[in-house]
Amino acid sequence: MKQGWHSGAERPVMEEGLQYHIRCRRGDVNRYVLLPGDPERVDVIAGGWDEARFIANNREHRTWSGALGGVPVTACSTGMGGPSASIALEELAALGADTFIRVGSCGAIQEEVQCGDLVICSGAMRQDGTSPDYVDLSYPAAAHYEVTAALVEACERLEVPYHVGVSCTTASFYCGQARPGLGGYAQSASARKIEDLNRAGVMDFEMEAATILTLSGVYGLRAGAVLAVVAHRLRDSFEYEGIDNSVRAANEAVKILAAWDRAKEAKGRRYWYPGLLMVQ
Ligand code: R1P
Ligand code: URA
């Protein structure tokens, strides 16, 4: 499949802007893009659209484009972790995407959060290992307020249980999230990690949000994340629930964002705010 690729090495791109990893070209990718980690979730997301067209499947990146309530939309899986998430974001943005919603799963570290609930990520701790390649660690991995507000509106409309707060993005599922490694291997700081983050009000562990939010911030793009809680680290329980609600919320948020973007354009405003629809 990859034999025969000849291009410059800085940005390996072929005719029609074909991107090396995601294998999408110009015209394949829309402005609004949903980013699940798991490739199988792309098909579930596209199943909720009015129209869906398979685009590409390469490595961990599976892509469909289509339309939802008249809004052109794309879903592309990032795979697990910062490196492949950064590649997906780079190549999608090169094709014109500018608004990203991560549709992920996470492990909760707050008592009031239940398995099956959603967490809307307002920001993320940058333990992803990838985002420091782009900007100093003092730069915040903040979700764009419009994407966060659209996800809140979506969860309210759908009447699904949700929380809003900060996630901790790690570069590993086991030791980075204070799980024992092979044979119980652990570093001493691991023993206090969950307690310390819980005390700081951090909602959950996951593995891509900080990369997506940081790169989007640096590039002037919009991004947010909605995460289904599939593990509870304080209760040591794992229940793979809530993915369907995260998908529904993300799809609804795309329609909401598109409506707000149309309103901004019609009223000549750069930023959305709650009273915008009342402006004459
Ligand atoms: C780990 O099991 C994976 O699940 C979470 C983590 O961020 C990591 O990618 O998200 P996804 O369900 O989106 O893959
Ligand atoms: N994803 C993670 O990264 N951690 C969990 O505990 C569950 C899902």
Side-chain angles (χ1 to χ4, degrees):
M1 170 75 173
K2 298 200 176 55
Q3 259 181 277
W5 188 287
H6 297 281
S7 77
E10 278 190 7
R11 300 277 315 193
V13 173
M14 298 280 270
E15 298 80 34
E16 299 175 83
L18 183 70
Q19 303 289 309
Y20 179 52
H21 299 94
I22 63 171
R23 298 291 163 133
C24 300
R25 40 173 62 83
R26 275 190 291 282
D28 285 342
V29 169
N30 294 305
R31 171 177 193 188
Y32 304 96
V33 180
L34 303 177
L35 296 174
D38 182 353
E40 284 189 7
R41 206 174 300 143
V42 174
D43 298 47
V44 178
I45 292 169
W49 299 346
D50 309 320
E51 294 163 31
R53 176 170 67 101
F54 171 78
I55 303 287
N57 190 41
N58 189 49
R59 296 180 181 248
E60 52 270 80
H61 307 298
R62 183 169 175 80
T63 307
W64 284 75
S65 284
L68 175 61
V71 179
V73 62
T74 293
C76 174
S77 49
T78 60
M80 288 186 280
S84 61
S86 73
I87 286 171
L89 191 127
E90 283 278 0
E91 297 186 2
L92 289 161
L95 293 175
D98 72 2
T99 301
F100 299 94
I101 302 180
R102 164 159 159 70
V103 192
S105 63
C106 71
I109 49 181
Q110 292 296 326
E111 279 297 348
E112 75 271 19
V113 178
Q114 317 296 330
C115 280
D117 288 0
L118 301 184
V119 173
I120 296 170
C121 181
S122 56
M125 293 176 71
R126 292 177 51 195
Q127 298 179 11
D128 58 313
T130 297
S131 63
D133 286 348
Y134 282 78
V135 65
D136 181 86
L137 270 172
S138 59
Y139 184 94
H144 193 281
Y145 78 99
E146 291 176 351
V147 180
T148 304
L151 285 166
V152 169
E153 171 102 24
C155 288
E156 289 288 341
R157 282 187 193 175
L158 297 169
E159 299 184 353
V160 296
Y162 72 97
H163 311 261
V164 181
V166 171
S167 299
C168 178
T169 303
T170 64
S172 66
F173 181 80
Y174 291 97
C175 291
Q177 297 187 5
R179 289 186 169 91
L182 188 64
Y185 175 81
Q187 294 276 288
S188 57
S190 195
R192 294 188 308 273
K193 187 164 188 175
I194 291 178
E195 190 189 334
D196 285 352
L197 293 180
N198 168 272
R199 202 174 293 151
V202 175
M203 289 287 176
D204 64 273
F205 286 121
E206 62 82 67
M207 296 178 62
E208 294 81 20
T211 310
I212 292 165
L213 301 182
T214 303
L215 270 60
S216 295
V218 165
Y219 288 151
L221 309 169
R222 299 185 296 187
V226 59
L227 310 167
V229 177
V230 299
H232 208 295
R233 301 303 305 286
L234 305 180
R235 297 179 200 136
D236 192 23
S237 62
F238 194 97
E239 296 167 41
Y240 202 78
E241 305 283 350
I243 299 289
D244 49 345
N245 281 342
S246 68
V247 168
R248 289 168 64 225
N251 276 337
E252 188 69 21
V254 166
K255 289 192 274 182
I256 293 165
L257 276 168
W260 290 350
D261 288 342
R262 285 193 299 271
K264 285 192 294 185
E265 201 177 327
K267 316 244 177 197
R269 295 296 199 278
R270 181 165 177 198
Y271 298 106
W272 173 84
Y273 57 96
L276 180 64
L277 296 180
M278 318 294 266
V279 172
Q280 298 302 312

